[in-house]
Amino acid sequence: MANWLGPEEWRAVALSLQVSFWAVAASLPPGLFIAYALARWRFPGKQLLNGLVHLPLILPPVVTGYILLLGLNPNAPLGRALAEIGIVFAFSWTGAALAAAVMAFPLMVRAIRLAIEAVDPKLEQAAATLGAAPVWVFLTVTLPMVLPGIVAGAILAFAKAMGEFGATITFVSNIPGQTRTIPSAIYAFLQVPGGENAAMKLVLVSVTVAMAALLLSEWVGRRVAARVGGRDA
């Protein structure tokens, strides 16, 4: 395997793994919070929030990337303010992680929200009547029961981040060693004569990672669900 991929292909694979990991790590806490809010709370603007969360699924990825570029480029007010404290997104791997997180966020939130909605609210109410604080109810009752959804959402988001292309290349371009992930590398290889072989190798890597993520999601979800239910996996 080490000799099968060349140095440039390995850099693309390594960067894709790095970008996808941080995309999921950064988006999981807000994803869990928003999923819980959408599943359990009533508040003004709930449908608007739901629409904004799912907007990246509807918009062309290039549009999402362009919006990120407009708001976070070094000449924009927000981008300039972030740059002054050392946070730079445009044309860097951190920007690729942000773009991937935005595109994968709806899948994560939806999986977690469905898991929360499947929990019987009476169980939470029973814990609350026994004097447990809302945070303690969530940590001891809700969270263990929604772990399969959290795991599934995180893994699906990781797979989505690994395959993100449109928003990423629009926001951070296609810079070798810095922002060239697997999809961007495939695109670059297909633009030069003789690059089809390298592109095909990365296609196989991409398909393998995606399938492994889906299978792992199913397996981990079953294991967690069995453990929560007190059964043998």
Side-chain angles (χ1 to χ4, degrees), residues 54-64 67 103:
H54 290 88
L55 195 59
L57 289 179
I58 303 170
L59 287 175
V62 173
V63 174
T64 302
I67 292 173
M103 295 302 298

PDB file of all heavy atoms in Angstrom, residues 54-64 67 103:
ATOM      1  N   HIS A  54     -30.278  22.684   7.391  1.00  0.00           N
ATOM      2  CA  HIS A  54     -30.367  21.796   6.227  1.00  0.00           C
ATOM      3  C   HIS A  54     -30.081  22.509   4.908  1.00  0.00           C
ATOM      4  O   HIS A  54     -30.086  21.858   3.853  1.00  0.00           O
ATOM      5  CB  HIS A  54     -31.752  21.145   6.167  1.00  0.00           C
ATOM      6  CG  HIS A  54     -31.984  20.147   7.258  1.00  0.00           C
ATOM      7  ND1 HIS A  54     -32.486  20.497   8.490  1.00  0.00           N
ATOM      8  CD2 HIS A  54     -31.763  18.805   7.319  1.00  0.00           C
ATOM      9  CE1 HIS A  54     -32.571  19.421   9.251  1.00  0.00           C
ATOM     10  NE2 HIS A  54     -32.137  18.378   8.570  1.00  0.00           N
ATOM     11  N   LEU A  55     -29.829  23.802   4.950  1.00  0.00           N
ATOM     12  CA  LEU A  55     -29.596  24.559   3.721  1.00  0.00           C
ATOM     13  C   LEU A  55     -28.437  24.026   2.886  1.00  0.00           C
ATOM     14  O   LEU A  55     -28.543  23.964   1.654  1.00  0.00           O
ATOM     15  CB  LEU A  55     -29.375  26.039   4.062  1.00  0.00           C
ATOM     16  CG  LEU A  55     -29.478  27.030   2.900  1.00  0.00           C
ATOM     17  CD1 LEU A  55     -30.857  26.952   2.252  1.00  0.00           C
ATOM     18  CD2 LEU A  55     -29.205  28.451   3.403  1.00  0.00           C
ATOM     19  N   PRO A  56     -27.310  23.609   3.506  1.00  0.00           N
ATOM     20  CA  PRO A  56     -26.211  23.071   2.687  1.00  0.00           C
ATOM     21  C   PRO A  56     -26.580  21.828   1.873  1.00  0.00           C
ATOM     22  O   PRO A  56     -25.915  21.532   0.874  1.00  0.00           O
ATOM     23  CB  PRO A  56     -25.130  22.739   3.731  1.00  0.00           C
ATOM     24  CG  PRO A  56     -25.401  23.671   4.856  1.00  0.00           C
ATOM     25  CD  PRO A  56     -26.895  23.779   4.908  1.00  0.00           C
ATOM     26  N   LEU A  57     -27.622  21.101   2.296  1.00  0.00           N
ATOM     27  CA  LEU A  57     -28.055  19.941   1.516  1.00  0.00           C
ATOM     28  C   LEU A  57     -28.776  20.352   0.244  1.00  0.00           C
ATOM     29  O   LEU A  57     -28.829  19.583  -0.726  1.00  0.00           O
ATOM     30  CB  LEU A  57     -28.983  19.057   2.352  1.00  0.00           C
ATOM     31  CG  LEU A  57     -28.359  18.258   3.495  1.00  0.00           C
ATOM     32  CD1 LEU A  57     -29.432  17.461   4.215  1.00  0.00           C
ATOM     33  CD2 LEU A  57     -27.259  17.336   2.991  1.00  0.00           C
ATOM     34  N   ILE A  58     -29.337  21.564   0.248  1.00  0.00           N
ATOM     35  CA  ILE A  58     -30.147  22.028  -0.877  1.00  0.00           C
ATOM     36  C   ILE A  58     -29.336  22.903  -1.823  1.00  0.00           C
ATOM     37  O   ILE A  58     -29.456  22.796  -3.039  1.00  0.00           O
ATOM     38  CB  ILE A  58     -31.376  22.794  -0.358  1.00  0.00           C
ATOM     39  CG1 ILE A  58     -32.200  21.901   0.582  1.00  0.00           C
ATOM     40  CG2 ILE A  58     -32.242  23.285  -1.506  1.00  0.00           C
ATOM     41  CD1 ILE A  58     -33.289  22.624   1.323  1.00  0.00           C
ATOM     42  N   LEU A  59     -28.508  23.769  -1.258  1.00  0.00           N
ATOM     43  CA  LEU A  59     -27.704  24.665  -2.077  1.00  0.00           C
ATOM     44  C   LEU A  59     -26.632  23.892  -2.835  1.00  0.00           C
ATOM     45  O   LEU A  59     -26.112  22.889  -2.343  1.00  0.00           O
ATOM     46  CB  LEU A  59     -27.018  25.715  -1.199  1.00  0.00           C
ATOM     47  CG  LEU A  59     -27.880  26.831  -0.611  1.00  0.00           C
ATOM     48  CD1 LEU A  59     -27.034  27.683   0.312  1.00  0.00           C
ATOM     49  CD2 LEU A  59     -28.503  27.687  -1.710  1.00  0.00           C
ATOM     50  N   PRO A  60     -26.269  24.350  -4.029  1.00  0.00           N
ATOM     51  CA  PRO A  60     -25.091  23.782  -4.685  1.00  0.00           C
ATOM     52  C   PRO A  60     -23.861  23.975  -3.797  1.00  0.00           C
ATOM     53  O   PRO A  60     -23.691  25.053  -3.214  1.00  0.00           O
ATOM     54  CB  PRO A  60     -24.977  24.589  -5.982  1.00  0.00           C
ATOM     55  CG  PRO A  60     -26.340  25.137  -6.210  1.00  0.00           C
ATOM     56  CD  PRO A  60     -26.929  25.371  -4.861  1.00  0.00           C
ATOM     57  N   PRO A  61     -23.011  22.975  -3.657  1.00  0.00           N
ATOM     58  CA  PRO A  61     -21.828  23.129  -2.797  1.00  0.00           C
ATOM     59  C   PRO A  61     -20.968  24.335  -3.152  1.00  0.00           C
ATOM     60  O   PRO A  61     -20.380  24.962  -2.264  1.00  0.00           O
ATOM     61  CB  PRO A  61     -21.071  21.813  -3.021  1.00  0.00           C
ATOM     62  CG  PRO A  61     -22.126  20.831  -3.392  1.00  0.00           C
ATOM     63  CD  PRO A  61     -23.121  21.604  -4.200  1.00  0.00           C
ATOM     64  N   VAL A  62     -20.907  24.674  -4.439  1.00  0.00           N
ATOM     65  CA  VAL A  62     -20.120  25.835  -4.847  1.00  0.00           C
ATOM     66  C   VAL A  62     -20.678  27.110  -4.227  1.00  0.00           C
ATOM     67  O   VAL A  62     -19.919  28.004  -3.837  1.00  0.00           O
ATOM     68  CB  VAL A  62     -20.091  25.950  -6.386  1.00  0.00           C
ATOM     69  CG1 VAL A  62     -19.417  27.245  -6.814  1.00  0.00           C
ATOM     70  CG2 VAL A  62     -19.360  24.763  -6.997  1.00  0.00           C
ATOM     71  N   VAL A  63     -21.999  27.200  -4.115  1.00  0.00           N
ATOM     72  CA  VAL A  63     -22.623  28.374  -3.501  1.00  0.00           C
ATOM     73  C   VAL A  63     -22.237  28.464  -2.028  1.00  0.00           C
ATOM     74  O   VAL A  63     -21.905  29.541  -1.520  1.00  0.00           O
ATOM     75  CB  VAL A  63     -24.149  28.325  -3.671  1.00  0.00           C
ATOM     76  CG1 VAL A  63     -24.819  29.465  -2.897  1.00  0.00           C
ATOM     77  CG2 VAL A  63     -24.525  28.390  -5.142  1.00  0.00           C
ATOM     78  N   THR A  64     -22.278  27.335  -1.340  1.00  0.00           N
ATOM     79  CA  THR A  64     -21.873  27.318   0.069  1.00  0.00           C
ATOM     80  C   THR A  64     -20.425  27.760   0.226  1.00  0.00           C
ATOM     81  O   THR A  64     -20.098  28.563   1.110  1.00  0.00           O
ATOM     82  CB  THR A  64     -22.052  25.905   0.653  1.00  0.00           C
ATOM     83  OG1 THR A  64     -23.415  25.500   0.521  1.00  0.00           O
ATOM     84  CG2 THR A  64     -21.665  25.869   2.118  1.00  0.00           C
ATOM     85  N   ILE A  67     -20.164  31.533  -0.308  1.00  0.00           N
ATOM     86  CA  ILE A  67     -20.638  32.283   0.859  1.00  0.00           C
ATOM     87  C   ILE A  67     -19.567  32.303   1.945  1.00  0.00           C
ATOM     88  O   ILE A  67     -19.308  33.347   2.576  1.00  0.00           O
ATOM     89  CB  ILE A  67     -21.948  31.670   1.387  1.00  0.00           C
ATOM     90  CG1 ILE A  67     -23.079  31.892   0.377  1.00  0.00           C
ATOM     91  CG2 ILE A  67     -22.325  32.274   2.739  1.00  0.00           C
ATOM     92  CD1 ILE A  67     -24.361  31.177   0.736  1.00  0.00           C
ATOM     93  N   MET A 103     -20.814  21.266   5.254  1.00  0.00           N
ATOM     94  CA  MET A 103     -21.526  20.372   4.340  1.00  0.00           C
ATOM     95  C   MET A 103     -21.995  19.092   5.038  1.00  0.00           C
ATOM     96  O   MET A 103     -23.019  18.516   4.670  1.00  0.00           O
ATOM     97  CB  MET A 103     -20.623  20.022   3.159  1.00  0.00           C
ATOM     98  CG  MET A 103     -20.276  21.219   2.270  1.00  0.00           C
ATOM     99  SD  MET A 103     -21.712  22.050   1.577  1.00  0.00           S
ATOM    100  CE  MET A 103     -22.417  20.744   0.588  1.00  0.00           C
TER     101      MET A 103
END
